[in-house]
Amino acid sequence: MGGPAAEPYDFCLSFATEQRPYVEEVAELLRKAGRTVFYDAYETAKLLGEDLYTHLDEIYNRGSRFCVLFASEAYVRKVWTRHERRSVQDRAMREAGAYLLPVRFDDTPVPGLRGTTGYVDARVTSPAELVRILLEKLAGEPQAATVSASILAVKADPHTDLEDLVRKALSHCRVSVAPELISARGSSVTAVVPEAVLSVAEVVVDVTATIADLARKGSVPALRIAVHRGQVPAGQPGESVDLTEAAEAAASAAVADVFDRVPEAGCVIVATQRVFDTVIRPGRGGCNPAQFSWTTTADGRGLYVKVPGFPQYGRPARPAGAARPVTAAPRAYHFGGPVTAGQIGDVNFFGSDDDRH
């Protein structure tokens, strides 16, 4: 069962409602030019019932070839545009080329956006001219520059042949990945499993369980299996920030502390915040969030730990900042059609453009 196609949109548009008339014309012209574009008014049915925090992060972090960010005072001020911007900037950090394409409506500084970054000035550029520039940018960029993937980092005793263990586990799960996607890094092994080959949920549920089972049979001590979700450069999988994040999760002192607390445990499975938010917490593929406990690293990053055989270990898992409990105060979201959806108590205003995000 394969994962979703990488980058289904050519462009995603991030903007405040004050700029909607301009942005809507850009979206229409892009669509007429045969390009796929994420524009909220086109997505009413898809957004209905979705966890918007997670869904929008998927789009702005992994789901588009380019993000056009329409910068303005209103854009910087609003909560949901801030969420979109952070997702965009997280992706931009991993890209070798340009991903974030700024369009300015005023001179308001945008956090994280350098003043040296080239931009288009909407005050002197028509929507049609902007679309011409965007199409030219798209045509000049290589397609499929990155691949969406699960990144496994497996760590144990330095003398353990972890590479062979990981290869056997993938073979047992009928997963075939190119040899260059598995590499030894000191006392750990990193494996990249493209989502087109196997979904992240299947990696979390099936592959980690198989690795843990083979390690138990082989008496591998203190095994740590970390799963991260990210993008790796096509053809250069070893050059990725996401590989480093997976390896650091497996090597974290917070994870090592688990074995001090539960010395009988032979294995710990670790999920990064992104994996928990997008796969485990929604229960995809049979993932059970109740089996994971929440911890933090020294630099404050959230990790979610599962200790096979010890389901009650640690604090209950919680998605740090990603989801509101059912008892949270209702919030309003604004999109583009007459529909009400979301958490019980939320109101989603479609058609009102007074306070998008």
Side-chain angles (χ1 to χ4, degrees):
M1 185 169 67
E7 299 177 352
Y9 298 102
D10 293 319
F11 299 96
C12 60
L13 310 181
S14 182
F15 63 98
T17 189
E18 285 79 355
Q19 284 73 53
R20 185 179 289 280
Y22 185 104
V23 175
E24 184 164 11
E25 188 170 349
V26 170
E28 282 295 310
L29 291 171
L30 285 172
R31 194 157 69 166
K32 288 177 180 177
R35 300 305 177 186
T36 53
V37 56
F38 179 81
Y39 172 61
D40 61 358
Y42 298 161
E43 306 287 331
T44 300
K46 289 183 180 180
L47 294 172
L48 182 64
E50 288 285 346
D51 177 344
L52 298 178
Y53 189 101
T54 299
H55 187 77
L56 292 176
D57 180 66
E58 284 289 294
I59 297 299
Y60 289 102
N61 200 318
R62 289 170 287 279
S64 303
R65 180 66 194 91
F66 292 105
C67 176
V68 186
L69 188 154
F70 295 87
S72 66
E73 180 277 331
Y75 185 90
V76 172
R77 170 168 41 87
K78 295 187 176 183
V79 173
W80 277 90
T81 48
R82 188 182 310 139
H83 170 55
E84 293 173 3
R85 172 176 56 80
R86 287 171 177 170
S87 296
V88 172
Q89 290 172 333
D90 183 60
R91 164 74 176 273
M93 286 182 62
R94 306 191 303 270
E95 290 288 290
Y99 169 64
L100 167 58
L101 308 180
V103 178
R104 286 194 169 275
F105 284 88
D106 57 40
D107 297 321
T108 303
V110 177
L113 182 62
R114 294 181 177 178
T116 55
T117 302
Y119 66 91
V120 172
D121 193 333
R123 293 167 290 192
V124 296
T125 306
S126 69
E129 177 62 13
L130 174 60
V131 168
R132 184 194 66 76
I133 295 170
L134 294 176
L135 294 177
E136 185 177 330
K137 184 72 175 179
L138 183 65
E141 288 289 323
Q143 300 301 303
T146 60
V147 175
S148 297
S150 302
I151 297 97
L152 277 166
V154 183
K155 182 176 176 60
D157 186 281
H159 302 294
T160 303
D161 188 357
L162 292 178
E163 187 171 349
D164 182 62
L165 177 69
V166 171
R167 291 184 186 278
K168 285 181 178 179
L170 291 173
S171 176
H172 188 274
C173 294
R174 300 181 181 180
V175 178
S176 178
V177 299
E180 63 269 18
L181 297 182
I182 302 176
S183 60
R185 293 169 169 249
S187 61
S188 66
V189 168
T190 303
V192 175
V193 183
E195 291 190 35
V197 174
L198 200 68
S199 72
V200 184
E202 289 171 297
V203 171
V204 172
V205 174
D206 299 330
V207 176
T208 60
T210 302
I211 294 174
D213 186 55
L214 291 175
R216 180 181 56 79
K217 293 177 180 177
S219 300
V220 177
L223 183 71
R224 311 176 194 180
I225 309 169
V227 186
H228 183 55
R229 185 181 192 183
Q231 300 276 337
V232 296
Q236 296 176 303
E239 300 178 11
S240 170
V241 171
D242 287 315
L243 266 69
T244 301
E245 185 157 348
E248 289 178 350
S252 168
V255 176
D257 183 57
V258 174
F259 292 108
D260 293 334
R261 297 186 187 185
V262 190
E264 301 88 352
C267 172
V268 172
I269 297 171
V270 187
T272 63
Q273 184 75 54
R274 188 180 301 159
V275 171
F276 189 85
D277 287 345
T278 61
V279 177
I280 298 171
R281 181 171 56 81
R284 292 177 179 166
C287 291
N288 183 359
Q291 294 179 343
F292 287 80
S293 301
W294 173 72
T295 188
T296 53
T297 62
D299 60 3
R301 284 181 294 175
L303 294 177
Y304 295 82
V305 176
K306 175 182 176 181
V307 184
F310 298 86
Q312 302 303 317
Y313 166 78
R315 293 171 285 178
R318 67 176 186 183
R324 303 181 309 281
V326 175
T327 56
R331 297 190 63 173
Y333 305 99
H334 300 270
F335 290 97
V339 181
T340 299
Q343 170 186 300
I344 294 175
D346 286 351
V347 177
N348 296 259
F349 298 97
F350 293 75
S352 169
D353 62 359
D354 61 336
D355 188 27
R356 180 182 183 271
H357 304 320

